[in-house]
Amino acid sequence: MPELRHDWRIEEINALLAMPFSDLMFKAHQVHREYFPANQVQVSTLLSIKTGACPEDCGYCSQSAKHDTSLERETLLPLQEVIDSAKTAQAHGATRFCMGAAWRNPTDKNLERVIEMVQAVKGMGLETCVTLGMLTDRQANRLKGAGLDYYNHNLDTSPEFYGNVISTRTFQDRLDTLEHVRNAGINVCSGGILGMGETRVDRARLLQQLANMKFHPESVPINDLVKVEGTPLAGVEKLDPFEFIRTVAAARIMMPKSYVRLSAGRAEMTDEMQAWCFFAGANSIFYGDKLLTTENPGESHDQQLFARLGIQAEAGQAGSVHM
């Protein structure tokens, strides 16, 4: 197997993204087969445990209090409701249960309630993941002590384009939280959103930021922008599907041991586009008809697509940390 790299130059990444499509697909698929079973996809479920009223101004987000999206605000879900949702997800084949709260950063009081959820879900034999906004070192260590497997905190886009999308926290703030998570010994889940009006160079810079970390993120979600009415990015031009697939392929080549996840936007992808993404090295999806507040393909559709493509869902092993 090729040695993992953490020194990617932007010229190399631009060259990858500019390869003839068939050549790029062939290269990415070869790399994928060296590190993962070719026809196996990890399945996760994502639940919004606290919806809306977020003080951040992320231009893509329906949950920002600064955007008029008619989203109903909800308080933190009761523990039993989270447990019931996790049981349903597990019964439908999910091996990882992810919980998202629309906070800039959690208070210590709210963190304790989330820790109860993590412990309960972990006790069911599921891998656990949360996304709660920015964390301190101490909070990351509290989550580690509770048995959290993954923490999601996306970089979203390139450092250069970031200010066009978000002004209420900096790119460095995101890197700092990821450092706290990594130092605590929690698996890192970090990726980005494509189709926000960025250039191919911006997508290359996003991948460079992720791949040149001291340790590659164990999970790299690649989101296709879901345009929500009332958000600043609602009218942005849709990204060419081949550009999305190329980015998935480059992520696989640059971070060969990471799970590359098709995240938001799958409801608007054709089956053929998803099939190309799987061929290019995507090997994780979110399962279920809802991703926080946006639509997702139903479980029966995903099962049918897996059957048509000869793909099997991966069996889970909770608790493994790759350092």
Side-chain angles (χ1 to χ4, degrees), residues 97-134:
F97 191 72
C98 306
M99 295 164 275
W103 290 319
R104 173 177 170 80
N105 51 278
T107 64
D108 289 342
K109 182 179 178 180
N110 280 329
L111 188 70
E112 292 306 313
R113 293 183 63 189
V114 173
I115 282 172
E116 290 181 352
M117 298 174 185
V118 169
Q119 291 171 331
V121 173
K122 180 86 167 180
M124 297 165 54
L126 286 164
E127 288 185 322
T128 53
C129 177
V130 296
T131 177
L132 312 172
M134 295 185 289

Short mmCIF file of all heavy atoms in Angstrom, two decimals, residues 97-134:
data_model
loop_
_atom_site.label_atom_id
_atom_site.label_comp_id
_atom_site.label_asym_id
_atom_site.label_seq_id
_atom_site.Cartn_x
_atom_site.Cartn_y
_atom_site.Cartn_z
N PHE A 97 -24.50 6.07 15.17
CA PHE A 97 -25.61 6.99 15.43
C PHE A 97 -25.02 8.36 15.74
O PHE A 97 -24.25 8.52 16.69
CB PHE A 97 -26.45 6.50 16.60
CG PHE A 97 -27.76 7.23 16.77
CD1 PHE A 97 -28.79 7.04 15.87
CD2 PHE A 97 -27.93 8.11 17.83
CE1 PHE A 97 -30.00 7.71 16.03
CE2 PHE A 97 -29.14 8.79 17.99
CZ PHE A 97 -30.18 8.58 17.09
N CYS A 98 -25.36 9.33 14.90
CA CYS A 98 -24.80 10.68 15.02
C CYS A 98 -25.87 11.63 15.54
O CYS A 98 -27.02 11.58 15.10
CB CYS A 98 -24.29 11.16 13.67
SG CYS A 98 -23.12 10.02 12.90
N MET A 99 -25.48 12.52 16.44
CA MET A 99 -26.41 13.46 17.05
C MET A 99 -25.90 14.88 16.85
O MET A 99 -24.74 15.18 17.16
CB MET A 99 -26.55 13.15 18.55
CG MET A 99 -27.19 11.80 18.83
SD MET A 99 -26.97 11.21 20.53
CE MET A 99 -25.34 10.41 20.40
N GLY A 100 -26.75 15.75 16.32
CA GLY A 100 -26.35 17.11 16.02
C GLY A 100 -27.18 18.13 16.76
O GLY A 100 -28.41 18.02 16.83
N ALA A 101 -26.51 19.13 17.34
CA ALA A 101 -27.20 20.20 18.04
C ALA A 101 -26.79 21.55 17.46
O ALA A 101 -25.60 21.80 17.25
CB ALA A 101 -26.89 20.16 19.54
N ALA A 102 -27.75 22.41 17.20
CA ALA A 102 -27.49 23.71 16.59
C ALA A 102 -27.04 24.71 17.65
O ALA A 102 -27.80 25.54 18.14
CB ALA A 102 -28.75 24.22 15.88
N TRP A 103 -25.78 24.57 18.02
CA TRP A 103 -25.15 25.48 18.97
C TRP A 103 -23.89 26.07 18.36
O TRP A 103 -23.24 25.44 17.52
CB TRP A 103 -24.73 24.74 20.25
CG TRP A 103 -25.84 24.27 21.12
CD1 TRP A 103 -26.99 24.94 21.43
CD2 TRP A 103 -25.91 23.02 21.83
NE1 TRP A 103 -27.77 24.19 22.28
CE2 TRP A 103 -27.13 23.01 22.54
CE3 TRP A 103 -25.05 21.91 21.93
CZ2 TRP A 103 -27.52 21.94 23.34
CZ3 TRP A 103 -25.43 20.86 22.73
CH2 TRP A 103 -26.66 20.87 23.43
N ARG A 104 -23.52 27.27 18.82
CA ARG A 104 -22.19 27.80 18.49
C ARG A 104 -21.16 26.98 19.27
O ARG A 104 -20.13 26.59 18.73
CB ARG A 104 -22.10 29.28 18.86
CG ARG A 104 -20.69 29.88 18.72
CD ARG A 104 -20.71 31.36 19.05
NE ARG A 104 -19.37 31.90 19.16
CZ ARG A 104 -18.59 32.24 18.14
NH1 ARG A 104 -19.03 32.08 16.90
NH2 ARG A 104 -17.38 32.73 18.34
N ASN A 105 -21.47 26.76 20.54
CA ASN A 105 -20.67 25.88 21.40
C ASN A 105 -21.58 25.46 22.56
O ASN A 105 -22.44 26.23 22.99
CB ASN A 105 -19.42 26.60 21.92
CG ASN A 105 -19.74 27.94 22.53
OD1 ASN A 105 -19.90 28.95 21.84
ND2 ASN A 105 -19.87 27.98 23.86
N PRO A 106 -21.45 24.24 23.06
CA PRO A 106 -22.33 23.79 24.13
C PRO A 106 -21.94 24.37 25.47
O PRO A 106 -20.75 24.55 25.77
CB PRO A 106 -22.13 22.27 24.12
CG PRO A 106 -20.74 22.08 23.61
CD PRO A 106 -20.50 23.20 22.63
N THR A 107 -22.94 24.68 26.30
CA THR A 107 -22.65 25.00 27.69
C THR A 107 -22.29 23.71 28.41
O THR A 107 -22.61 22.61 27.95
CB THR A 107 -23.87 25.62 28.38
OG1 THR A 107 -24.94 24.65 28.42
CG2 THR A 107 -24.34 26.87 27.64
N ASP A 108 -21.63 23.82 29.54
CA ASP A 108 -21.28 22.61 30.29
C ASP A 108 -22.53 21.85 30.73
O ASP A 108 -22.53 20.62 30.77
CB ASP A 108 -20.42 22.98 31.50
CG ASP A 108 -19.01 23.43 31.11
OD1 ASP A 108 -18.60 23.13 29.97
OD2 ASP A 108 -18.34 24.06 31.93
N LYS A 109 -23.59 22.59 31.07
CA LYS A 109 -24.85 21.95 31.48
C LYS A 109 -25.44 21.14 30.34
O LYS A 109 -25.84 19.98 30.51
CB LYS A 109 -25.85 23.00 31.96
CG LYS A 109 -27.17 22.41 32.44
CD LYS A 109 -28.10 23.50 32.93
CE LYS A 109 -29.46 22.93 33.37
NZ LYS A 109 -30.37 24.00 33.84
N ASN A 110 -25.47 21.73 29.13
CA ASN A 110 -25.99 21.00 27.97
C ASN A 110 -25.09 19.83 27.60
O ASN A 110 -25.57 18.79 27.16
CB ASN A 110 -26.14 21.95 26.78
CG ASN A 110 -27.41 22.80 26.87
OD1 ASN A 110 -28.42 22.37 27.42
ND2 ASN A 110 -27.34 24.01 26.34
N LEU A 111 -23.79 20.02 27.78
CA LEU A 111 -22.86 18.94 27.45
C LEU A 111 -23.14 17.71 28.32
O LEU A 111 -23.07 16.57 27.83
CB LEU A 111 -21.42 19.40 27.65
CG LEU A 111 -20.36 18.42 27.15
CD1 LEU A 111 -20.36 18.34 25.63
CD2 LEU A 111 -18.97 18.82 27.65
N GLU A 112 -23.47 17.92 29.59
CA GLU A 112 -23.77 16.79 30.46
C GLU A 112 -24.99 16.02 29.97
O GLU A 112 -25.03 14.79 30.05
CB GLU A 112 -23.98 17.27 31.90
CG GLU A 112 -22.73 17.82 32.56
CD GLU A 112 -21.57 16.84 32.52
OE1 GLU A 112 -21.77 15.65 32.84
OE2 GLU A 112 -20.45 17.26 32.15
N ARG A 113 -25.97 16.71 29.44
CA ARG A 113 -27.15 16.03 28.90
C ARG A 113 -26.80 15.24 27.64
O ARG A 113 -27.29 14.14 27.43
CB ARG A 113 -28.26 17.04 28.61
CG ARG A 113 -28.83 17.70 29.87
CD ARG A 113 -29.96 18.63 29.52
NE ARG A 113 -31.09 17.91 28.92
CZ ARG A 113 -32.15 18.51 28.36
NH1 ARG A 113 -32.20 19.83 28.31
NH2 ARG A 113 -33.11 17.79 27.82
N VAL A 114 -25.92 15.81 26.81
CA VAL A 114 -25.48 15.09 25.62
C VAL A 114 -24.67 13.86 26.01
O VAL A 114 -24.80 12.79 25.40
CB VAL A 114 -24.66 16.01 24.69
CG1 VAL A 114 -24.05 15.22 23.54
CG2 VAL A 114 -25.52 17.14 24.15
N ILE A 115 -23.87 13.99 27.05
CA ILE A 115 -23.06 12.85 27.51
C ILE A 115 -23.97 11.69 27.93
O ILE A 115 -23.67 10.52 27.66
CB ILE A 115 -22.13 13.30 28.66
CG1 ILE A 115 -20.93 14.06 28.06
CG2 ILE A 115 -21.66 12.11 29.49
CD1 ILE A 115 -20.04 14.71 29.09
N GLU A 116 -25.09 11.98 28.56
CA GLU A 116 -26.05 10.93 28.91
C GLU A 116 -26.54 10.21 27.65
O GLU A 116 -26.69 8.99 27.63
CB GLU A 116 -27.24 11.53 29.65
CG GLU A 116 -26.94 12.03 31.05
CD GLU A 116 -28.17 12.59 31.73
OE1 GLU A 116 -29.22 12.74 31.06
OE2 GLU A 116 -28.10 12.90 32.94
N MET A 117 -26.78 10.98 26.58
CA MET A 117 -27.22 10.39 25.32
C MET A 117 -26.12 9.51 24.72
O MET A 117 -26.39 8.40 24.25
CB MET A 117 -27.60 11.50 24.33
CG MET A 117 -28.75 12.38 24.78
SD MET A 117 -28.99 13.77 23.62
CE MET A 117 -30.28 14.70 24.47
N VAL A 118 -24.89 10.01 24.73
CA VAL A 118 -23.76 9.25 24.19
C VAL A 118 -23.62 7.92 24.92
O VAL A 118 -23.47 6.86 24.30
CB VAL A 118 -22.45 10.07 24.29
CG1 VAL A 118 -21.24 9.19 23.99
CG2 VAL A 118 -22.49 11.26 23.34
N GLN A 119 -23.69 7.97 26.23
CA GLN A 119 -23.53 6.75 27.03
C GLN A 119 -24.65 5.75 26.76
O GLN A 119 -24.41 4.55 26.68
CB GLN A 119 -23.46 7.11 28.51
CG GLN A 119 -22.18 7.86 28.87
CD GLN A 119 -22.19 8.41 30.29
OE1 GLN A 119 -23.26 8.72 30.85
NE2 GLN A 119 -21.02 8.53 30.89
N ALA A 120 -25.87 6.26 26.61
CA ALA A 120 -27.01 5.37 26.36
C ALA A 120 -26.89 4.71 24.99
O ALA A 120 -27.11 3.49 24.84
CB ALA A 120 -28.31 6.15 26.47
N VAL A 121 -26.55 5.49 23.96
CA VAL A 121 -26.43 4.94 22.60
C VAL A 121 -25.25 3.99 22.51
O VAL A 121 -25.32 2.92 21.90
CB VAL A 121 -26.30 6.09 21.58
CG1 VAL A 121 -26.00 5.54 20.19
CG2 VAL A 121 -27.57 6.93 21.55
N LYS A 122 -24.14 4.35 23.15
CA LYS A 122 -22.96 3.49 23.17
C LYS A 122 -23.28 2.14 23.82
O LYS A 122 -22.81 1.08 23.39
CB LYS A 122 -21.85 4.20 23.96
CG LYS A 122 -20.55 3.43 24.08
CD LYS A 122 -19.67 3.66 22.89
CE LYS A 122 -18.27 3.15 23.18
NZ LYS A 122 -17.38 3.36 22.03
N GLY A 123 -24.12 2.19 24.87
CA GLY A 123 -24.51 0.97 25.55
C GLY A 123 -25.33 0.02 24.70
O GLY A 123 -25.45 -1.17 25.03
N MET A 124 -25.87 0.52 23.60
CA MET A 124 -26.64 -0.31 22.67
C MET A 124 -25.74 -1.03 21.67
O MET A 124 -26.22 -1.82 20.86
CB MET A 124 -27.67 0.55 21.93
CG MET A 124 -28.71 1.19 22.83
SD MET A 124 -29.62 2.52 21.99
CE MET A 124 -30.21 1.64 20.55
N GLY A 125 -24.44 -0.72 21.68
CA GLY A 125 -23.52 -1.35 20.74
C GLY A 125 -23.33 -0.57 19.45
O GLY A 125 -22.70 -1.07 18.52
N LEU A 126 -23.84 0.66 19.39
CA LEU A 126 -23.65 1.51 18.23
C LEU A 126 -22.42 2.40 18.41
O LEU A 126 -22.08 2.78 19.54
CB LEU A 126 -24.87 2.42 18.02
CG LEU A 126 -26.13 1.78 17.47
CD1 LEU A 126 -27.34 2.70 17.70
CD2 LEU A 126 -25.99 1.48 15.99
N GLU A 127 -21.75 2.73 17.31
CA GLU A 127 -20.75 3.79 17.36
C GLU A 127 -21.48 5.11 17.57
O GLU A 127 -22.60 5.29 17.12
CB GLU A 127 -19.95 3.84 16.05
CG GLU A 127 -18.97 2.70 15.87
CD GLU A 127 -18.14 2.88 14.62
OE1 GLU A 127 -18.67 3.36 13.60
OE2 GLU A 127 -16.95 2.52 14.66
N THR A 128 -20.82 6.03 18.27
CA THR A 128 -21.44 7.31 18.58
C THR A 128 -20.66 8.46 17.95
O THR A 128 -19.44 8.44 17.87
CB THR A 128 -21.50 7.53 20.10
OG1 THR A 128 -20.18 7.36 20.66
CG2 THR A 128 -22.45 6.54 20.76
N CYS A 129 -21.42 9.45 17.50
CA CYS A 129 -20.83 10.66 16.91
C CYS A 129 -21.72 11.84 17.31
O CYS A 129 -22.94 11.70 17.35
CB CYS A 129 -20.76 10.53 15.39
SG CYS A 129 -20.12 12.03 14.55
N VAL A 130 -21.10 12.97 17.64
CA VAL A 130 -21.88 14.18 17.89
C VAL A 130 -21.26 15.34 17.14
O VAL A 130 -20.07 15.36 16.83
CB VAL A 130 -21.97 14.54 19.39
CG1 VAL A 130 -22.72 13.46 20.17
CG2 VAL A 130 -20.60 14.78 20.00
N THR A 131 -22.09 16.35 16.85
CA THR A 131 -21.62 17.61 16.31
C THR A 131 -22.34 18.70 17.07
O THR A 131 -23.56 18.83 17.01
CB THR A 131 -21.86 17.71 14.78
OG1 THR A 131 -21.43 19.00 14.32
CG2 THR A 131 -23.31 17.47 14.40
N LEU A 132 -21.57 19.47 17.84
CA LEU A 132 -22.14 20.41 18.81
C LEU A 132 -21.58 21.82 18.65
O LEU A 132 -21.85 22.68 19.48
CB LEU A 132 -21.85 19.93 20.25
CG LEU A 132 -22.15 18.46 20.57
CD1 LEU A 132 -21.62 18.12 21.97
CD2 LEU A 132 -23.64 18.17 20.46
N GLY A 133 -20.78 22.05 17.61
CA GLY A 133 -20.11 23.33 17.46
C GLY A 133 -18.71 23.29 18.05
O GLY A 133 -18.08 22.24 18.14
N MET A 134 -18.24 24.43 18.48
CA MET A 134 -16.87 24.53 18.99
C MET A 134 -16.76 23.91 20.39
O MET A 134 -17.71 23.97 21.18
CB MET A 134 -16.44 26.00 19.03
CG MET A 134 -16.34 26.63 17.66
SD MET A 134 -15.69 28.33 17.69
CE MET A 134 -17.07 29.22 18.42
#
